């Protein structure tokens, strides 16, 4: 009895430390965020793709992450090293007690990529997405600010990268060669999946083969989103959507796209909203489709004729 | 336009159309940027036309008449813009030494290629009688040279794309994009910049012609705004202010991005371009965007500039279309090709690389400006050898 009381007390104490309403839910609402902008335990960070967007107006008090330099190794193709990411997180004043709320443009694609990296480096319980990102914030006519607040750096020490959240080419090939019982989810458009096109128009990063990883299931990322405000569909709707495509969480999952960003969006919802066991294959089609000797399914039969 | 009332009515209709388009676009999602581009473009066109803010004319007035007023207006625009940009930068990048560059500011790589671009642009200005922005506002005044200069510019840009890959891989790739605040800080950059402006101002005043004609005084405010030519310093103040708010809300002032994108599209469609333009899409400057969209901020900016200049010229009685003669066509096309090659290779023109670049604390702005000046002086002095001047 005494033990139970102590436990209950400890839990209540832990809950009191957490910002209100942000407990286990991986998403925060625009309403909640606006009420918690001055909460010292909350750090709001924008991860957008369009340059100048953050500077011209961001959620008041937000910090900025530039995804193509801060979150990656700029020389070899890889995510930011533990050392580099730790330096960034320290600069942003984030420690293990901070609730990190990420948001951005383009339906939170790059914010979701950021959330995946935070999770890889052990901040999985800290990181949340602002549901709807910039789109919903603007639709609701909430204010922006263009001043940048100074934050006190932290001295957090991050864990080594959690390999359970990240799939490599060898993992994907292991599945393809029937060595493991895993569902692969291709979140690109149906035309990329079928091999009609190599990449969406305007894409710099290409592969020299069209099609998809054999056995992969195609659920385009956008189907998980309410188009009007960019929010995720409800957990029940998402569960149903993916179950209809044959993804019910009974088996481990690997998600991929073209360069690993959009698939982070699906990774986020499958792993953090639905609680499935999911790895993001950030090498994605630009690695797989350029690899020599790997099996490919190309339904459309498009032949590479690069000049 | 003999009937001034009719001219004013047409100008009012243009103003209403521009305002209406801006108003309509504002409420539509991503339209705020497009809407502001119309407003800023129209203001820029109005200011350029009313103050005759033509870079070449300013240089020429100084070289030929020792009349410093235009140049002083330009220096004032630079000073106001430098202060305005520093205010914005201070909010966006509180620590300028952090290794980041401010977003979208025109901070270009400094190399011999930039010098060559500036020289070509300066010579092109002297031959065609204007830079790109002035040709745009003169289009609205019915200039016989401007249309051909702008066609020449598009052709010259295509040449620029053709030579770009070689220049990029041999020189530009290793050239540093020097942003002065990164080493001097914002205060240091302002002090250094104002010191240079002070020295240039001193030189202009020291050697000015003491017997310059006084501009006619205008009687009332409406006349001063809409009919009489604005003094260059008024134009300079207005452009410095406009440059600051344009950067704050949309992008730095620049007039060649859309022209460059369209030229690249056309040349690409004709199959005369290499399919990959190395590095260009990652460099900061005017001529980087590959235009797919029908309406881009810079496209609307340029269209509004021309329309507003046309409206301003109508009201001022300065819309005087002249049928082009062969000399106008030759001058326009040949000068335009040099302007286009220079603007593409220098990643912008006298507005983007020079004006917006210097305001942003980019070394590339100063280098381009100096090269343009040398190009103008050389070509202007030798004009008797190169071509027969005709009135533009």
């Amino acid at each position: 009895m005494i033990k139970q009381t102590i436990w209950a007390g400890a839990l209540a104490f832990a809950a009191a430390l957490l910002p209100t309403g942000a407990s286990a839910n991986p998403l925060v609402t625009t309403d909640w965020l606006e009420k918690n902008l001055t909460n010292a335990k909350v750090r709001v960070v924008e991860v957008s793709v369009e340059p100048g967007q953050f500077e011209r107006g961001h959620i008041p008090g937000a910090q900025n992450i530039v995804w193509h330099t801060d979150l990656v190794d700029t020389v070899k193709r890889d995510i930011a090293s533990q050392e580099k990411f730790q330096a960034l997180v320290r600069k942003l004043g984030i420690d293990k007690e901070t609730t990190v709320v990420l948001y951005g443009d383009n339906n939170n694609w790059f914010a979701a990529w950021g959330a995946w990296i935070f999770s890889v480096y052990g901040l999985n319980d800290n990181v949340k997405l602002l549901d709807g990102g910039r789109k919903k914030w603007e639709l609701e006519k909430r204010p922006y600010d263009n001043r940048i607040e100074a934050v006190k750096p932290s001295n957090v020490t991050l864990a080594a990268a959690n390999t359970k959240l990240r799939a490599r080419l060898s993992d994907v090939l292991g599945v393809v060669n029937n060595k493991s019982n895993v569902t692969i989810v291709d979140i690109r458009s149906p035309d990329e999946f079928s091999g009609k096109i190599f990449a969406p128009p305007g894409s710099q990063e290409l592969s020299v083969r069209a099609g998809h990883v054999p056995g992969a299931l195609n659920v385009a990322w956008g189907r998980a989103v309410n188009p009007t405000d960019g929010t995720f569909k409800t957990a029940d709707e998402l569960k149903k959507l993916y179950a209809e495509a044959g993804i019910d969480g009974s088996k481990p999952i690997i998600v991929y796209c073209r360069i690993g960003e959009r698939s982070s969006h699906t990774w986020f919802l499958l792993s953090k909203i639905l609680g499935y066991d999911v790895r993001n294959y950030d090498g994605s089609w630009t690695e797989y489709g350029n690899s020599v000797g790997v099996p490919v399914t190309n339904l459309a039969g498009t032949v590479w004729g690069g000049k | 336009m003999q009937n001034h009332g009719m001219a004013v009515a047409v100008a009012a209709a243009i103003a209403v159309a521009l305002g209406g388009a801006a108003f309509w676009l504002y409420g539509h999602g991503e339209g705020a940027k497009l809407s502001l581009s119309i407003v800023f473009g129209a203001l820029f066109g109005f200011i350029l036309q009313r103050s005759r803010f033509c870079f070449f004319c300013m240089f020429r007035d100084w070289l030929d008449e020792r009349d410093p007023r235009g140049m002083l207006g330009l220096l004032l625009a630079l000073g106001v813009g430098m202060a305005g940009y520093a205010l914005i930068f201070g909010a966006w990048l509180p620590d300028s030494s952090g290794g980041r560059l401010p977003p979208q500011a025109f901070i270009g790589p400094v190399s011999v290629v930039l010098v060559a671009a500036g020289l070509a642009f300066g010579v092109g200005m002297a031959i065609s009688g204007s830079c790109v922005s002035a040709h745009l506002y003169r289009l609205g005044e019915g200039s016989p040279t401007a249309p051909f200069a702008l066609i020449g510019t598009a052709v010259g840009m295509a040449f620029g794309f053709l030579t770009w890959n070689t220049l990029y891989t041999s020189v530009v790739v290793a050239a540093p994009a020097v942003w002065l605040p990164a080493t001097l800080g914002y205060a240091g950059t302002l002090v250094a910049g104002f010191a240079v402006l002070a020295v240039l101002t001193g030189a202009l005043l020291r050697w000015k012609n003491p017997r310059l004609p006084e501009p006619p005084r205008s009687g009332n405010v409406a006349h001063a705004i809409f009919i009489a030519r604005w003094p260059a310093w008024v134009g300079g103040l207005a452009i410095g202010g406009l440059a600051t708010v344009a950067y704050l809300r949309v992008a730095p002032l620049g007039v060649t991005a859309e022209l460059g994108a369209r030229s690249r599209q056309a040349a690409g469609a004709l199959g005369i371009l290499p399919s990959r333009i190395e590095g260009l899409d990652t460099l900061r400057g005017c001529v980087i965007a590959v235009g797919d969209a029908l309406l881009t901020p810079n496209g609307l900016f340029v269209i509004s500039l021309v329309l507003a200049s046309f409206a301003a010229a109508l009201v001022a009685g300065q819309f005087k279309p002249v049928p082009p003669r062969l000399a106008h066509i030759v001058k326009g096309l040949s000068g335009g090709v040099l302007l286009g090659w220079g603007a593409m290779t220098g990643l912008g023109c006298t507005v983007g690389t020079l004006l917006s670049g210097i305001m942003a604390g980019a070394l590339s702005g100063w280098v381009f400006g100096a090269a343009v000046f040398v190009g103008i002086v050389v070509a202007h002095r030798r004009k008797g050898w190169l071509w027969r001047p005709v009135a533009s």
Side-chain angles (χ1 to χ4, degrees):
Chain A
M1 185 66 195
I2 295 170
K3 218 176 197 177
Q4 276 171 344
T5 315
I6 293 172
W7 261 114
L11 280 174
F13 181 70
L17 283 181
L18 286 167
T20 40
S23 53
N25 195 334
L27 297 170
V28 301
T29 62
T30 45
D31 251 335
W32 180 89
L33 185 60
E34 195 164 6
K35 287 189 191 112
N36 281 276
L37 286 179
T38 52
N39 186 331
K41 287 277 169 225
V42 174
R43 176 75 66 238
V44 187
V45 183
E46 174 157 344
V47 194
S48 279
V49 62
E50 196 186 316
Q53 179 116 262
F54 170 83
E55 286 82 356
R56 291 205 171 82
H58 50 255
I59 293 179
Q63 300 292 314
N64 189 29
I65 286 182
V66 180
W67 73 274
H68 57 259
T69 51
D70 289 341
L71 297 179
V72 298
D73 185 317
T74 50
V75 178
K76 65 176 180 181
R77 184 173 175 192
D78 207 343
I79 60 172
S81 66
Q82 180 192 355
E83 202 180 12
K84 179 174 178 176
F85 188 68
Q86 181 172 288
L88 174 72
V89 166
R90 285 182 174 181
K91 200 180 80 183
L92 296 172
I94 293 166
D95 60 31
K96 289 192 172 153
E97 278 73 52
T98 314
T99 296
V100 182
V101 178
L102 303 182
Y103 75 96
D105 57 6
N106 274 306
N107 291 300
N108 276 338
W109 281 358
F110 295 86
W113 156 267
W116 174 64
I117 305 222
F118 271 86
S119 293
V120 165
Y121 285 113
L123 295 170
N124 190 44
D125 295 334
N126 304 64
V127 70
K128 295 170 191 300
L129 283 183
L130 170 65
D131 204 12
R134 284 187 74 104
K135 192 172 185 178
K136 184 155 193 274
W137 189 269
E138 286 170 21
L139 278 174
E140 293 171 348
K141 307 185 194 307
R142 295 178 196 268
Y144 282 136
D145 190 347
N146 73 353
R147 286 161 299 186
I148 294 168
E149 304 259 341
V151 294
K152 194 170 158 270
S154 77
N155 59 358
V156 70
T157 304
L158 294 184
N162 178 358
T163 51
K164 291 196 179 109
L165 300 181
R166 189 183 192 197
R168 306 301 293 264
L169 179 61
S170 55
D171 301 319
V172 178
L173 285 172
V175 179
V176 173
N177 298 325
N178 274 329
K179 285 184 198 138
S180 53
N181 191 21
V182 169
T183 307
I184 297 180
V185 182
D186 182 325
I187 66 84
R188 296 175 302 159
S189 65
D191 283 352
E192 290 169 273
F193 180 79
S194 68
K196 278 186 200 163
I197 57 174
F198 290 89
S203 299
Q204 294 263 7
E205 314 86 355
L206 294 175
S207 55
V208 294
R209 288 295 178 269
H212 61 260
V213 177
L217 303 172
N218 184 217
V219 184
W221 73 274
R223 293 176 62 192
V225 171
N226 295 308
T228 44
D229 61 3
T231 52
F232 283 106
K233 291 179 174 167
T234 64
D236 288 342
E237 286 170 331
L238 292 172
K239 194 168 232 168
K240 188 158 168 272
L241 170 72
Y242 286 91
E244 279 167 6
I247 304 147
D248 57 8
S250 59
K251 290 193 286 184
I253 300 165
I254 292 175
V255 292
Y256 77 91
C257 60
R258 190 171 51 87
I259 54 173
E261 269 85 20
R262 284 175 298 170
S263 57
S264 303
H265 189 271
T266 303
W267 170 85
F268 186 90
L269 77 91
L270 289 177
S271 103
K272 295 189 57 110
I273 300 180
L274 298 183
Y276 298 166
D277 172 9
V278 195
R279 279 174 290 171
N280 184 27
Y281 171 39
D282 57 308
S284 278
W285 191 250
T286 43
E287 181 182 37
Y288 194 95
N290 281 323
S291 300
V292 177
V294 303
V296 166
T297 303
N298 182 350
L299 301 171
T302 309
V303 175
W304 171 254
K307 281 187 257 184
Chain B
M1 289 280 171
Q2 302 238 317
N3 182 341
H4 192 245
M6 179 74 174
V8 172
V10 173
I14 292 172
V16 169
L18 286 171
F23 182 83
W24 184 80
L25 276 171
Y26 198 83
H28 289 72
E30 297 288 311
K33 252 185 191 171
L34 298 177
S35 169
L36 283 171
S37 298
I38 293 179
V39 175
F40 294 154
L43 280 173
F44 196 43
F46 184 70
I47 299 167
L48 291 178
Q49 201 284 327
R50 298 290 43 244
S51 57
R52 320 299 310 253
F53 205 87
C54 150
F55 288 79
F56 174 67
C57 315
M58 296 167 175
F59 289 123
R60 190 193 49 201
D61 286 351
W62 171 250
L63 292 172
D64 292 353
E65 319 280 343
R66 286 284 176 264
D67 179 348
R69 286 173 291 192
M71 296 281 280
L72 290 173
L74 172 59
L75 297 183
L76 183 61
L78 292 176
V80 172
M82 277 159 48
Y85 265 63
L87 278 171
I88 296 174
F89 286 161
W92 289 1
L93 274 182
D95 181 358
S96 60
S97 64
R100 289 233 171 108
L101 292 181
Q104 292 164 311
F106 291 158
I107 302 158
V110 178
S111 71
V112 63
V113 170
L114 181 67
V115 175
L119 289 172
F121 197 88
V123 174
M125 279 165 80
I127 293 177
S128 69
S130 292
C131 58
V132 178
S133 59
H135 281 307
L136 286 170
Y137 90 68
R138 285 178 174 183
L139 200 60
E141 294 179 340
S143 150
T145 317
F148 300 98
L150 292 168
I151 293 169
T153 302
V155 173
M157 284 180 158
F159 278 121
F161 288 120
L162 277 178
T163 53
W164 175 260
N165 279 359
T166 313
L167 295 175
Y168 179 77
T169 48
S170 54
V171 181
V172 179
V173 70
V178 181
W179 186 47
L180 298 172
T183 41
L184 302 179
Y186 296 124
T189 303
L190 278 182
V191 169
F194 285 143
V196 173
L197 295 184
V199 168
L200 292 174
T201 304
L204 288 171
L205 294 176
R206 168 76 182 75
W207 287 289
K208 77 165 186 173
N209 180 349
R211 282 180 298 279
L212 289 169
E214 277 292 309
R217 296 217 170 241
S218 80
N220 64 55
V221 175
H223 186 272
I225 294 175
F226 293 107
I227 311 286
R229 175 180 176 170
W230 293 2
W233 65 266
V234 174
L237 272 182
I239 286 173
L242 180 65
T244 306
V245 294
Y247 180 54
L248 177 66
R249 294 302 308 275
V250 184
L253 290 183
V255 295
T256 49
E258 184 71 6
L259 212 55
R262 298 292 168 197
S263 161
R264 184 170 166 185
Q265 232 174 11
L270 293 172
I272 54 174
L273 274 197
S275 61
R276 218 182 162 83
I277 307 281
E278 300 299 340
L280 198 57
D281 297 318
T282 58
L283 286 173
R284 285 147 197 267
C286 259
V287 195
I288 53 168
V290 193
D292 284 335
L294 191 62
L295 293 180
T296 62
N298 195 252
L300 284 177
F301 181 87
V302 170
I303 291 168
S304 308
L305 188 169
V306 174
L307 286 174
S309 149
F310 173 54
L314 278 176
V315 176
Q318 288 162 343
F319 176 67
K320 291 177 181 141
V322 176
R325 285 181 285 125
L326 184 63
H328 293 126
I329 299 174
V330 173
K331 245 174 52 139
L333 286 176
S334 55
V337 168
L338 286 168
L339 288 176
W341 185 85
M344 194 275 124
T345 309
L347 302 174
C349 63
T350 35
V351 177
T353 300
L354 193 162
L355 203 72
S356 299
I358 288 179
M359 289 172 179
L363 184 61
S364 52
W366 291 104
V367 171
F368 186 77
V372 165
F373 185 72
V374 171
I376 289 177
V377 171
V378 170
H380 192 59
R381 291 266 152 83
R382 297 276 176 271
K383 67 182 174 219
W385 301 0
L386 286 171
W387 73 92
R388 224 180 259 275
V390 291
S392 59

